[in-house]
Amino acid sequence: MTSQVSSPAEQADGADETVVGAQRKPVGTKDVRRLDRVIIRFAGDSGDGMQLTGDRFTSETASFGNDLSTLPNFPAEIRAPAGTLPGVSSFQLHFADHDILTPGDAPDVLVAMNPAALKANVGDLPRGAEIIVNTDEFTKRAMQKVGYEVSPLEDGSLDGYRLHPVPLTTLTVEALKEFDLSRKEAERSKNMFALGLLSWMYHRPTEGTEKFLKAKFAKKPEIAAANIAAYRAGWNFGETTEDFAVSYEVAPAATAFPPGTYRNISGNLSLAYGLIAASRQADLPLFLGSYPITPASDILHELSKHKNFGVRTFQAEDEIAGIGAALGAAFGGSLAVTTTSGPGVALKSETIGLAVSLELPLLVVDIQRGGPSTGLPTKTEQADLLQAMYGRNGEAPVPVVAPRTSADCFDAALEAARIALTYRTPVFLLSDGYLANGSEPWRIPEADELPDLAVRFAQGPNHTLDDGTEVFWPYKRDPHTLARPWAVPGTPGLEHRIGGIEKQDGTGNISYDPANHDFMVRTRQAKVDGITVPDLEVDDPDGARTLVLGWGSTYGPITAAVRRLRTAGEPVAQAHLRHLNPFPANLGAVLKRYDKVVVPEMNLGQLATLIRAKYLVDAQSYNQVNGMPFKAEQLATVLKEAIDG
């Protein structure tokens, strides 16, 4: 599991002290302005390569040593109509010389490849922001598609911004005229021209992108050379044009990271690596039974590359077959995983109930997205919590774990595996589209930092009958964890009955006895209730009377909002839940310490409902379901009102 890495701490050695704000120093004929952070958004048609452009700029920023956070945003359609608002794809990157938590509320720089991209995003810009537009695309027809009667580049509507009109398409075609390419083929490299220009503006390294392009188009060296030429032309354009008189430096985040080796990582990649690490720590083969679904498919793609680590991936014909195969693999002694999103969880619910009945370890990874039904496949939401808690027939309790950041998906996968293997139960891991597609720096852990997940399979009889006969009872439980033994099929003497019909305590034989059913239901619930999870940590440096309680991907925006309030002198406490079933043992005591509890969620109040029901606390919900993550400023305003109210 090797990867390109960067070490921000090491790369910051010898760097000049970062000057917060804007300070200039002359370099040749161009000035360089030092900034502490920048938010850039690339926007264009789905076919303009904005995600690739943003990803490459991000990779170079990570290698330089900045802290960063990204927000890809794209339509669900394979190819939405060109030049239309629904077809706009964007990629936002926030990078800084200090610790940051979100992709940023509002871009400082917008790169708009066409009128649709400008119109869809200009409303998010603060006054004074820089706008780089591809003037070649501002034709009368293209502007009419999005409702511009006159050109916004000429009517004064952009006077409050620093506008840079650049004929990106023309310049790219001119730069590639020596190549044997059609005009249409040459135009496709305009995203690389834009990337080169932005790389010059912000002093990003270039070697990694050129190496990437050579590898990506290794079988088409002419295309690789053309893209590299366009990239260099964009850099040179920034260096020579009078329109860009200033470039910017954002120093490495020298103090934001503990010492170690880092790499930029997305949530889905982090989660995939966490699953592989869990299987190695458990010394079990990893089996993924999955059906492709946005935004979870990347995990299937990634795990399929790692057969050398004992990973088996099975792309099933549907969601039900995927989890059925995974549960069969669990029965056979594998660390079994199924990945999906909300609609897939609905289809898998019966088999999850079967896993509860069989009491087998199974990881159900739900990368949440906007719903209901097909909903917003490429947008984010936190609306599957109650489905994970209660979305099965009968009493079928399942532990629930949620990562807080893209990098934290690695640790959350290890924790979900620990619970599943220790307690012999299916476990939900609730990530979401924001974490899955976003990225941030991740410190690669040392092997001795990983938890020991070693499993002992049943090897022989575990019960003695009244007549002295030694037998194997598949439901004889560990007195501490209430976990039943895990017997691999084919082990001599461990033959046992399996199936979904209720089992007799101990023997596992079919039972319709009312008292036995009551006992088994309560025992399965007690097993989940008794899972050992860490106490909830509370960040309360001020003796606050208001607590902000979150879960999952709201961590970044909540923490950024809390920082703003504390900087302004407002006392506010913060706690964030990783374990949602069972809750930490001290949660009730924590909640009772505060006069007000505010729960921001990207749903209509699902955690708040659970908190109010279990602890009888008058938790206040703040909810958003627009497919986008919270903005820190927005949350800070809401929390200030709660404090003052």
Side-chain angles (χ1 to χ4, degrees):
M1 196 159 49
T2 58
S3 58
Q4 291 184 344
V5 299
S6 61
S7 176
E10 293 175 0
Q11 293 176 357
D13 288 347
D16 294 336
E17 181 178 350
T18 301
V19 180
V20 177
Q23 306 235 339
R24 295 188 179 206
K25 61 177 181 179
V27 176
T29 59
K30 300 255 184 176
D31 283 351
V32 178
R33 184 175 298 179
R34 298 288 298 273
L35 302 174
D36 64 333
R37 67 185 185 92
V38 176
I39 303 169
I40 299 175
R41 183 181 296 176
F42 300 92
D45 262 338
S46 292
D48 283 339
M50 293 298 94
Q51 302 305 317
L52 175 63
T53 304
D55 184 67
R56 289 314 314 161
F57 195 94
T58 299
S59 295
E60 299 298 359
T61 296
S63 70
F64 186 71
N66 297 118
D67 195 10
L68 62 90
S69 180
T70 68
L71 178 64
N73 186 16
F74 42 87
E77 291 79 8
I78 293 175
R79 188 66 173 92
T84 64
L85 293 174
V88 173
S89 174
S90 68
F91 188 105
Q92 184 164 306
L93 166 68
H94 182 190
F95 61 101
D97 66 1
H98 57 277
D99 176 33
I100 58 173
L101 297 156
T102 73
D105 289 357
D108 303 305
V109 182
L110 171 66
V111 180
M113 302 298 280
N114 60 21
L118 176 64
K119 187 161 191 176
N121 293 281
V122 70
D124 293 337
L125 302 179
R127 289 291 173 177
E130 293 194 76
I131 303 176
I132 301 171
V133 295
N134 179 14
T135 56
D136 288 327
E137 295 298 322
F138 279 72
T139 63
K140 183 176 181 180
R141 183 169 181 270
M143 289 187 290
Q144 287 177 343
K145 276 187 180 182
V146 295
Y148 284 131
E149 296 299 326
V150 295
S151 173
L153 309 183
E154 301 170 356
D155 65 2
S157 61
L158 301 179
D159 287 349
Y161 308 100
R162 289 176 286 168
L163 181 65
H164 301 281
V166 180
L168 286 174
T169 306
T170 298
L171 291 171
T172 303
V173 171
E174 178 66 20
L176 302 184
K177 63 182 181 181
E178 64 184 72
F179 293 88
D180 186 21
L181 300 173
S182 67
R183 180 179 177 86
K184 187 174 182 179
E185 289 173 329
E187 288 178 357
R188 290 175 182 163
S189 296
K190 64 181 181 288
N191 64 325
M192 288 297 106
F193 189 100
L195 178 60
L197 173 58
L198 267 293
S199 297
W200 172 83
M201 283 183 65
Y202 291 97
H203 295 223
R204 299 298 91 183
T206 61
E207 295 81 4
T209 292
E210 294 194 9
K211 183 178 179 181
F212 167 83
L213 291 170
K214 290 176 182 177
K216 182 176 177 63
F217 299 106
K219 296 182 179 179
K220 298 179 179 179
E222 182 81 358
I223 299 298
N227 276 281
I228 292 172
Y231 178 62
R232 291 174 177 173
W235 178 283
N236 293 332
F237 177 77
E239 182 69 31
T240 57
T241 182
E242 295 181 1
D243 192 36
F244 292 90
V246 179
S247 64
Y248 304 90
E249 280 187 352
V250 180
T255 61
F257 304 101
T261 302
Y262 286 77
R263 60 158 294 160
N264 182 50
I265 200 165
S266 69
N268 275 351
L269 182 58
S270 173
L271 206 157
Y273 284 0
L275 293 173
I276 297 172
S279 75
R280 292 298 82 212
Q281 293 303 106
D283 196 22
L284 297 175
L286 177 65
F287 180 91
L288 174 67
S290 183
Y291 179 76
I293 184 172
T294 302
S297 299
D298 290 340
I299 302 172
L300 170 62
H301 300 159
E302 181 62 32
L303 289 180
S304 68
K305 303 174 184 177
H306 297 289
K307 296 180 178 64
N308 56 313
F309 286 107
V311 179
R312 297 189 182 97
T313 53
F314 171 56
Q315 181 175 319
E317 64 268 29
D318 55 38
E319 296 280 6
I320 298 171
I323 190 172
L327 185 57
F331 180 58
S334 293
L335 176 59
V337 184
T338 189
T339 52
T340 189
S341 190
V345 173
L347 291 167
K348 296 177 188 289
S349 61
E350 183 179 7
T351 307
I352 297 171
L354 176 60
V356 172
S357 176
L358 300 181
E359 300 185 52
L360 287 171
L362 173 67
L363 302 187
V364 182
V365 177
D366 177 7
I367 313 298
Q368 300 165 97
R369 70 191 207 187
S373 188
T374 305
L376 305 174
T378 60
K379 311 301 180 185
T380 196
E381 207 162 273
Q382 287 183 298
D384 294 351
L385 176 56
L386 293 183
Q387 180 178 220
M389 290 284 290
Y390 303 119
R392 293 163 296 283
N393 64 295
E395 296 286 345
V398 174
V400 181
V401 174
R404 60 176 59 181
T405 67
S406 296
D408 187 47
C409 289
F410 179 88
D411 294 318
L414 285 164
E415 175 63 359
R418 177 191 73 85
I419 294 173
L421 296 172
T422 302
Y423 296 90
R424 309 286 196 267
T425 178
V427 177
F428 262 102
L429 196 162
L430 293 182
S431 179
D432 60 41
Y434 170 41
L435 296 185
N437 296 318
S439 64
E440 63 177 351
W442 171 60
R443 187 181 71 84
I444 301 173
E446 299 295 332
D448 58 8
E449 297 174 350
L450 301 178
D452 181 7
L453 302 179
V455 173
R456 290 190 63 185
F457 292 113
Q459 298 297 325
N462 60 359
H463 183 74
T464 303
L465 300 177
D466 292 341
D467 62 3
T469 305
E470 292 187 340
V471 296
F472 174 68
W473 274 15
Y475 284 85
K476 185 166 185 176
R477 302 177 183 279
D478 181 293
H480 301 291
T481 63
L482 299 183
R484 77 176 187 87
W486 193 0
V488 176
T491 306
L494 302 191
E495 297 84 357
H496 59 282
R497 189 184 299 273
I498 204 77
I501 296 178
E502 184 62 284
K503 294 141 190 60
Q504 185 182 57
D505 178 42
T507 69
N509 294 331
I510 291 174
S511 174
Y512 293 95
D513 179 70
N516 179 78
H517 177 62
D518 182 273
F519 178 80
M520 293 295 284
V521 167
R522 294 180 187 277
T523 300
R524 288 188 287 261
Q525 182 65 58
K527 180 169 67 171
V528 173
D529 291 342
I531 291 172
T532 300
V533 302
D535 277 349
L536 179 66
E537 296 183 1
V538 183
D539 179 13
D540 185 359
D542 306 308
R545 304 312 308 158
T546 299
L547 172 70
V548 190
L549 181 67
W551 71 278
S553 65
T554 56
Y555 174 77
I558 289 174
T559 306
V562 166
R563 286 181 180 179
R564 293 188 184 199
L565 290 172
R566 290 177 179 171
T567 300
E570 296 289 345
V572 60
Q574 178 188 0
H576 210 78
L577 289 166
R578 161 167 287 182
H579 298 90
L580 297 150
N581 192 32
F583 286 130
N586 69 331
L587 177 56
V590 167
L591 296 172
K592 287 180 171 58
R593 296 207 302 260
Y594 296 91
D595 297 334
K596 298 174 184 176
V597 177
V598 182
V599 185
E601 297 181 79
M602 292 189 293
N603 56 47
L604 295 183
Q606 297 188 15
L607 175 60
T609 297
L610 295 173
I611 293 295
R612 293 169 69 98
K614 185 173 180 65
Y615 299 104
L616 303 182
V617 170
D618 187 19
Q620 302 176 30
S621 284
Y622 180 68
N623 309 116
Q624 173 178 295
V625 282
N626 61 7
M628 299 294 289
F630 284 113
K631 294 182 178 180
E633 182 179 2
Q634 160 196 7
L635 275 181
T637 300
V638 170
L639 298 178
K640 178 67 166 61
E641 292 172 353
I643 294 170
D644 295 342

